[in-house]
Amino acid sequence: RIRFLPRVTQEIDILNLMNIADVLLDPVPFSGGITTLDALAVGTPIITLPGYFPHSLLTAACYRLMGMDMFVPQTKKDYVAMALKVTHDHVFADLFRQTILTNCSVIYENRESIRELEHQLKNICFKKL
């Protein structure tokens, strides 16, 4: 069963909805952006299909950083199969959720990316003209 809900504006409501959801589907050919980061924080599995453009790669990149490439389908058929598996196979869904919760600190506590951004901003701001 799929439920389409009206736009939710309160951050707490969004996180609560994500927490009780079985799965989120990244809209093909896009990715979730902030929604992805919120969903991963509560361990909600996201089914994504990476595309060619940067806006379609965020969720897959997060999974890759967390060592979860096995949860990234490569075809539309696999995308559908993964979504069905998460919703019908509760053991698999629990494994998916636990793997996210175990590994998401790689995303939220990544000091290397902060240092890289810091470096790039210094180069931009203090570059001699």
Side-chain angles (χ1 to χ4, degrees):
R1 176 174 46 165
I2 296 174
R3 287 206 179 160
F4 292 93
L5 302 172
R7 186 177 184 94
V8 180
T9 56
Q10 297 295 325
E11 183 68 22
I12 193 73
D13 290 339
I14 293 168
L15 292 176
N16 285 333
L17 284 171
M18 287 182 189
N19 194 39
I20 63 171
D22 294 322
V23 65
L24 296 179
L25 302 175
D26 257 355
V28 177
F30 297 97
S31 192
I34 296 298
T35 304
T36 290
L37 298 175
D38 288 344
L40 294 176
V42 296
T44 303
I46 308 163
I47 309 303
T48 190
L49 184 62
Y52 298 105
F53 300 106
H55 62 264
S56 68
L57 299 171
L58 177 67
T59 304
C62 288
Y63 283 154
R64 196 165 296 111
L65 282 172
M66 294 189 297
M68 297 177 56
D69 290 72
M70 70 289 247
F71 293 104
V72 180
Q74 298 303 309
T75 67
K76 289 178 184 176
K77 183 178 178 182
D78 292 342
Y79 175 92
V80 172
M82 179 81 70
L84 291 172
K85 184 168 182 152
V86 170
T87 57
H88 291 95
D89 183 340
H90 298 293
V91 172
F92 178 76
D94 289 342
L95 171 69
F96 200 157
R97 188 176 288 270
Q98 272 312 119
T99 305
I100 291 169
L101 290 171
T102 299
N103 296 308
C104 71
S105 64
V106 171
I107 303 297
Y108 302 106
E109 298 172 20
N110 186 338
R111 295 193 185 275
E112 182 181 326
S113 61
I114 293 169
R115 298 296 171 246
E116 179 61 29
L117 178 60
E118 199 174 65
H119 175 74
Q120 295 299 326
L121 289 173
K122 283 179 183 176
N123 283 341
I124 292 168
C125 294
F126 300 112
K127 187 177 181 180
K128 291 183 181 183
L129 299 174

